[in-house]
Structure formats: C-alpha cells, structure tokens
Amino acid sequence: MSKTCVMTDIHGRLDALLALLDQVPAGSKLIFLGDYIDRGSQSAEVVALVRTLQADGAVCLRGNNEDMMCNPDTMGGTWMANGGSATVESYKDPLTGEINAGLMEEHAAWFETLPTVYRDEHRVYVHAGVDESHDLRHMPESITQWYRYPKGADFGYRGLHVVHGHTPGIVQLANRTCLDGGKTLTCGVFDDDVAGGPVELLT
C-alpha cells in the first residue's frame, strides 16, 4: 500500500525534521505544507534540506511565514515579530557573523515559485485552509495562507478531505485534519488507496 506523509510548520527545527524523516515509511510520497522558517534557529538549513527533498519528488507548498519573508516591507514589521529575526540569524556565517544575503535571496526566490494548494485523488493539501465557494485554481491567498478554521469546524472541500497546518493543535475530523502540532513537529501518514484522515501520526 502506498503512503503519503505530510508535515507542516517546521519553523526552523532541523533536528525535529530529521527525526521525523527517519520514521517515514520507505517509498512514501512527501508533502510539506509550508512554514519552513522562523522561530527556530536553523531555518536556512531546513530550507536547504527541503529543497533537496523536492528535487527527489517531494511536494512543497508555501506558507504564510514564507510570504512574510518575501514581502517584509508590506507586513508592517510582522515578520520580525513572528520569528523573522531567528531566520536572519540562521543565514549568518558562523565565523564572520556576516549575513549571506545571496542565499537569503535565493531561498526567497524559491519560495515565490511554490504553489499554495495541492490535491490528489482523496485529499486537498494547503497551509491554512480552503473555501468551497472558490475553485482550487483561484483560491484567494488570504484563505490558503491565513485562514483559521473555527474550533471543531468539520469542513472538507467538495467531497475531499482537507489537510492543513497553520493553526496550532492536532485536529482529526471526518473531513479535515490539522497537523500543526505546535511545539511537537508531527507527520501525518495517509493511505493513498483510502479516503479520509491519517492512518498514523508520527512525532
């Protein structure tokens, strides 16, 4: 049986990401729902690793924290208040203390190439949320990047299970799964042949 493993809101925690990847069943498809950066101390390293995994076939979506890094001047200081300073620190040379601005620009350019929504036969994957009133191809980024589902709201998307992050707290409902474990990085393992939520959670 083929599996899809989904992770979100890594937030610069390289060690936690590596520990999860060690548990992923061999041959699984990987999907990342964004927020690779900010808060943790190893954002640059996380981005480098995820880009390598993308080259091997992983699906990588863009989160709202990537949006803040790409557009800091339009966010009114929001990026720094949400862990951006830790991200900048991760791009500093450990010997000279100089920021590798070229690498930061390269990573920001990569963020801007990433989609905000992905779907397969049974599920829709997104960073924050989707709204059934919009087609997936035209889903507003105010929803895909920033939406927060009301507590207990069991909304899917036109018959598909929705898998998302962004709102801290693991949620497993009939039509929706949230995988943002907050301080505990979590991976949802989904059976590709069966609709619905994860068959296992890895931490």
Side-chain angles (χ1 to χ4, degrees), residues 16-92:
L17 175 58
L18 290 171
L20 271 189
L21 290 171
D22 281 344
Q23 301 178 61
V24 166
S28 298
K29 183 180 186 69
L30 289 175
I31 300 179
F32 295 98
L33 305 182
D35 277 13
Y36 310 102
I37 62 170
D38 297 346
R39 304 176 193 166
S41 63
Q42 296 174 297
S43 288
E45 294 87 345
V46 167
V47 175
L49 174 58
V50 172
R51 291 184 74 187
T52 299
L53 296 171
Q54 184 195 46
D56 290 335
V59 173
C60 301
L61 303 185
R62 174 165 44 89
N64 66 299
N65 284 71
E66 285 76 55
D67 288 344
M68 287 190 283
M69 177 174 167
C70 291
N71 303 284
D73 295 336
T74 64
M75 293 290 180
T78 304
W79 183 43
M80 287 297 162
N82 281 276
S85 58
T87 297
V88 174
E89 286 289 324
S90 75
Y91 286 93
K92 283 186 176 180

Side-chain angles (χ1 to χ4, degrees), residues 113-158:
T113 71
L114 300 180
T116 57
V117 180
Y118 177 77
R119 67 162 290 179
D120 58 22
E121 181 182 359
H122 298 298
R123 286 169 280 268
V124 171
Y125 307 88
V126 65
H127 177 65
V130 289
D131 184 335
E132 285 190 328
S133 66
H134 298 276
D135 188 270
L136 287 180
R137 294 170 296 177
H138 306 293
M139 193 69 60
E141 292 196 2
S142 59
I143 298 172
T144 64
Q145 309 303 92
W146 295 95
Y147 183 69
R148 292 194 187 275
Y149 288 91
K151 186 175 182 180
D154 194 9
F155 304 146
Y157 180 83
R158 302 182 184 181

Side-chain angles (χ1 to χ4, degrees), residues 169-202:
I170 300 297
V171 176
Q172 297 184 76
L173 301 170
N175 298 296
R176 176 173 73 89
T177 296
C178 178
L179 292 172
D180 183 355
K183 293 181 179 180
T184 303
L185 194 60
T186 303
C187 173
V189 181
F190 296 82
D191 187 333
D192 292 339
D193 299 319
V194 179
V199 295
E200 184 179 9
L201 294 178
L202 307 175

